[in-house]
Amino acid sequence: MNRAIRRVGYVVVGLLLIIVGQLTYLQVIDSSKLANDPRNSRIFLRNFDRPRGKIISADGEVLALSTRTNDEYGYQRTYPQGSLFAHTVGYQSVIIGSAGVERSYDNDLTGRTLANNPLRYPSLLRGGTQVGDVVLSLRADIQRVAKDALAGQRGSVTVIDPSTGAIIAMYTNPSFDPQPLASHNSSAVQKYYSALSADPLNPALPRAYREIYPPGSTFKVVTTSAALATGKATPESVYPPDRSYTPPQTDNAINNFGNKPCGGTLPEAFRQSCNAVFARLGVEMGEEFVPELEGFGFNSAPEIDMSPGAAVSVGPQIGSFKNDKPSFALAGIGQGPVASTPLQMALVAAAIANKGIIMKPHVGQKVTDREGKVVSRVKPSAWKKATSPEIAATLTEFMLSVVNSGTGTAARIPGIAVAGKTGTAQSPGGPPHAWFIAFAPAAAPQFAISVIIERGGSVGDEATGGRVAAPVAAKVLRALLGVK
């Protein structure tokens, strides 16, 4: 009997130790993960019974603020700019949670970061509730220009400072009004959210950094850089004036735009956006192509201070060349296994502008307290080394020729040297996507930009990147550079 009792005692003690160990793990080791789990309703509830800081554009416009309510929550978010910043600022909803800057800078907006900052103790002792205002790098004036330039067409415009990674504008169309999501009326929120989810145009999708598309010929910037870096081509390389290129392992030819013959030197092929040349280069590089495109950020996602983060832009994988050479030919022209976010293609342009270095993209600029004093700043940091300064300089010359006398002449700006690359990307299910990436001024770059017009916009099947996307980029760059 005593032996049986002892066994039961051992089991009970063992179970108690397991319970204590589990509680210790949950409260100590895993507490941060649980506290920040989006399914934890306490996160949302604890944020509604206190004031919350403002979100402000770089040019001083209020994008989000808290207003008092007479209900159990006490405060509700208000979004004065409506749909203009919906995909970056995001929303705070007691019903469905939060997204965008509202979520990624939550600790700053609610003052928890300030409360842990010893430099702020004197102001805390003076009383009152401390909250942080988040000042973004995005400019409201340029965001409006981007919206107007898209003229209702589906697509996005992304502008980056290539030297810092600061995002100056990031507008997606269609967009949505986040205000109904901030309502405390649960049935109204659910009805609005269901309508957004059911809309076939998917206006809640932040296309600029969460959707991937074939980048088409804009990817030839990456292909050219890779070919120069691997020694498979030089600026003096000469290619025959072919109408198409047929890769190994297939009988399906890759044709030039309009089935026209093109070739010549590498810079001439780049200026003409000659598919036959760049498909050939994709095969000639083979496995060496993959590390080069990964240097530009493909097959990984850039870290960005928004929630959810950026989607992964993809390309061919290591080890796939031997059995799938045609996919490398297609990758050379930005088709097949290559798919990119518009943000990623803006980073490609920024890499060339910044002598081969890609900086981490960010939308936050600084956090201030209620007295306007700066509590913290976003410090620029490098993300990838895409290419060498020498290759970046060579590609700058190539991209200048595209705008000066090639497929991107619609992006020319009087008195400003613009370096760019057009793209017309075939995609199943409809007309091609029209792309344009660029940076300016070419000699001392201040801004890098990517524009995508889905399915050719108002032009449809007749769209090209030079015809549809390049003029949009020109309008935005003109506003940025103060050119009428």
Side-chain angles (χ1 to χ4, degrees):
M1 177 66 71
N2 289 338
R3 181 180 297 176
I5 292 173
R6 281 198 299 271
R7 287 177 178 173
V8 171
Y10 292 151
V11 171
V12 171
V13 170
L15 291 173
L16 287 172
L17 289 173
I18 291 172
I19 292 171
V20 170
Q22 179 68 7
L23 289 173
T24 301
Y25 175 81
L26 292 174
Q27 294 182 15
V28 178
I29 299 175
D30 207 36
S31 60
S32 177
K33 179 180 177 182
L34 290 172
N36 292 289
D37 191 316
R39 295 167 295 181
N40 186 349
S41 61
R42 290 187 178 183
I43 294 176
F44 307 127
L45 294 175
R46 77 183 182 186
N47 290 340
F48 280 86
D49 63 354
R50 65 172 72 192
R52 189 175 177 86
K54 298 174 183 177
I55 301 175
I56 305 168
S57 70
D59 49 346
E61 296 199 26
V62 176
L63 312 180
L65 72 159
S66 289
T67 54
R68 276 197 172 274
T69 62
N70 295 320
D71 58 21
E72 59 183 311
Y73 299 110
Y75 294 90
Q76 179 177 314
R77 288 302 257 180
T78 300
Y79 300 99
Q81 306 303 326
S83 63
L84 189 64
F85 285 89
H87 294 114
T88 47
V89 168
Y91 51 82
Q92 186 204 35
S93 170
V94 72
I95 309 301
I96 62 171
S98 58
V101 169
E102 288 278 32
R103 181 170 170 185
S104 58
Y105 282 88
D106 181 68
N107 285 337
D108 297 296
L109 292 165
T110 54
R112 282 187 284 274
T113 303
L114 275 67
N116 294 326
N117 188 337
L119 297 176
R120 305 310 309 146
Y121 288 165
S123 59
L124 288 172
L125 293 174
R126 288 196 292 270
T129 303
Q130 278 287 337
V131 297
D133 291 338
V134 176
V135 181
L136 303 184
S137 56
L138 284 85
R139 289 171 47 179
D141 60 339
I142 302 303
Q143 194 83 342
R144 292 191 183 93
V145 172
K147 177 182 179 179
D148 293 344
L150 284 174
Q153 301 173 105
R154 279 186 297 158
S156 69
V157 176
T158 303
V159 181
I160 296 176
D161 178 341
S163 66
T164 66
I167 296 175
I168 310 301
M170 182 183 279
Y171 182 76
T172 288
N173 187 64
S175 186
F176 68 100
D177 185 357
Q179 193 60 57
L181 296 175
S183 170
H184 295 169
N185 183 324
S186 60
S187 60
V189 172
Q190 289 290 357
K191 182 178 180 180
Y192 182 69
Y193 185 71
S194 296
L196 281 178
S197 301
D199 191 327
L201 296 180
N202 204 358
L205 175 67
R207 287 165 162 83
Y209 66 99
R210 291 290 298 168
E211 182 64 294
I212 57 174
Y213 310 82
S217 292
T218 56
F219 192 75
K220 289 171 183 172
V221 172
V222 178
T223 306
T224 304
S225 174
L228 293 170
T230 58
K232 300 300 181 183
T234 71
E236 293 74 35
S237 297
V238 178
Y239 301 91
D242 295 326
R243 295 179 183 273
S244 64
Y245 170 73
T246 303
Q249 301 176 337
T250 183
D251 294 326
N252 296 321
I254 296 174
N255 299 313
N256 295 327
F257 184 77
N259 293 317
K260 297 178 180 179
C262 59
T265 63
L266 183 63
E268 180 60 17
F270 188 93
R271 187 182 70 83
Q272 298 178 80
S273 200
C274 189
N275 285 345
V277 171
F278 291 95
R280 182 187 300 275
L281 286 172
V283 172
E284 290 179 353
M285 284 186 286
E287 292 286 340
E288 294 180 81
F289 196 3
V290 180
E292 295 298 328
L293 63 88
E294 289 181 345
F296 275 89
F298 285 81
N299 294 333
S300 59
E303 299 174 21
I304 190 168
D305 52 346
M306 286 189 290
S307 183
V312 175
S313 297
V314 297
Q317 304 294 311
I318 284 287
S320 62
F321 177 70
K322 180 179 178 181
N323 296 319
D324 194 5
K325 292 179 174 63
S327 70
F328 278 69
L330 288 169
I333 63 170
Q335 298 277 176
V338 179
S340 176
T341 63
L343 169 62
Q344 179 60 53
M345 292 313 300
L347 293 175
V348 167
I352 305 306
N354 197 38
K355 299 180 180 179
I357 302 298
I358 302 178
M359 305 299 287
K360 288 181 182 178
H362 57 88
V363 297
Q365 180 186 147
K366 61 185 177 181
V367 177
T368 63
D369 64 14
R370 62 179 180 175
E371 297 162 348
K373 296 180 180 178
V374 176
V375 176
S376 63
R377 293 184 185 274
V378 176
K379 296 180 180 179
S381 60
W383 178 45
K384 298 276 187 181
K385 181 179 180 181
T387 192
S388 69
E390 294 76 18
I391 290 176
T394 297
L395 272 162
T396 297
E397 294 302 317
F398 287 12
M399 294 171 73
L400 279 167
S401 72
V402 169
V403 176
N404 290 336
S405 60
T407 57
T409 55
R412 286 186 294 193
I413 299 174
I416 303 292
V418 178
K421 184 69 188 79
T422 58
T424 307
Q426 303 300 319
S427 184
H433 302 306
W435 282 90
F436 188 71
I437 64 172
F439 59 89
Q446 298 176 42
F447 308 104
I449 187 170
S450 78
V451 175
I452 181 173
I453 308 296
E454 290 185 13
R455 301 299 181 189
S458 59
V459 179
D461 287 314
E462 302 302 315
T464 64
R467 179 180 178 184
V468 178
V472 172
K475 290 179 182 178
V476 176
L477 288 172
R478 280 173 176 266
L480 284 162
L481 296 168
V483 177
K484 298 297 184 181

